[in-house]
Amino acid sequence: MRLTTLLDTLNQGGSGPWPTPTPTATEADTFDQLVATLIPCREHDAELWFAESTADVELAKSLCQECPLREGCLAGAVDREEPWGVWGGEVFVGGVVVPRKRGRGRPRKDESAAPAA
Ligand code: SF4
């Protein structure tokens, strides 16, 4: 089974922890819960994957390295041109992978980046 196929079978009920299965839970609910324990962005606060602080973004990237879905997650994010966030252990800004997320603040002091006069 391709990882993207497994990812597509999971409950897409939003970010954050999934509900704990109840006594009336179906096998699919139980499967979702079991898989969720293996996926760091389901086990931790999902906001970490969309954080502003560099430290939080780096933590999200490192947690992705443990994820069994990393390869498929990254491929899907590239296909969808995700506008931002950490996907598959990479930082996306404007639909493309960037080396690191720049914090807010002054623009870089780079003479070569200045517009031509
Ligand atoms: S690789 Fe994707 S699915 Fe896995 S923790 Fe990172 S963002 Fe979540």
Side-chain angles (χ1 to χ4, degrees), residues 29-97:
D29 293 336
T30 305
F31 176 76
D32 282 354
Q33 192 65 34
L34 176 64
V35 171
T37 63
L38 303 173
I39 304 174
C41 63
R42 292 291 184 178
E43 281 286 281
H44 297 77
D45 181 0
E47 295 300 317
L48 198 59
W49 276 257
F50 300 96
E52 287 292 334
S53 97
T54 303
D56 286 348
V57 168
E58 291 302 314
L59 176 57
K61 286 171 60 180
S62 70
L63 289 168
C64 283
Q65 301 307 313
E66 307 166 4
C67 181
L69 303 178
R70 192 177 70 80
E71 186 179 318
C73 177
L74 178 58
V78 168
D79 287 348
R80 294 187 306 273
E81 298 180 356
E82 283 291 342
W84 72 300
V86 175
W87 299 88
E90 300 289 346
V91 178
F92 283 74
V93 175
V96 297
V97 173

